[in-house]
Amino acid sequence: MNVDDVVAAKVEAARVRIQAAKRRRDELAAARKRGLAARHANKLRRIAAQQTTQPVTTDDGSTPTERNS
């Protein structure tokens, strides 16, 4: 083996490592985005469920029907 072959092998190994690291980062970023979207969807579902189960109240804490009577 001559020096040029050793250098070429090291350069190729570095290129492979860089590509693998980029692929890992891209996969993690995609997973992070999916997780964030899922968390936001769950939060919106929770908020919607709370709004449908809790009665609407006015500023003074009474319900609109209590206030009119």
Side-chain angles (χ1 to χ4, degrees):
M1 273 183 102
N2 86 27
V3 175
D4 290 335
D5 293 338
V6 172
V7 170
K10 287 186 178 186
V11 167
E12 183 60 28
R15 184 176 295 122
V16 169
R17 280 193 311 272
I18 291 169
Q19 289 173 348
K22 182 181 184 319
R23 189 171 38 253
R24 273 193 308 273
R25 282 192 309 270
D26 290 345
E27 289 170 359
L28 286 173
R32 194 173 298 120
K33 283 182 183 179
R34 285 191 306 273
L36 185 61
R39 285 191 300 276
H40 284 199
N42 285 335
K43 180 179 180 181
L44 291 175
R45 274 196 233 57
R46 261 193 329 273
I47 290 171
Q50 285 177 346
Q51 289 177 350
T52 58
T53 59
Q54 292 179 351
V56 176
T57 58
T58 58
D59 291 338
D60 63 358
S62 63
T63 60
T65 54
E66 290 172 352
R67 196 172 206 193
N68 292 336
S69 52

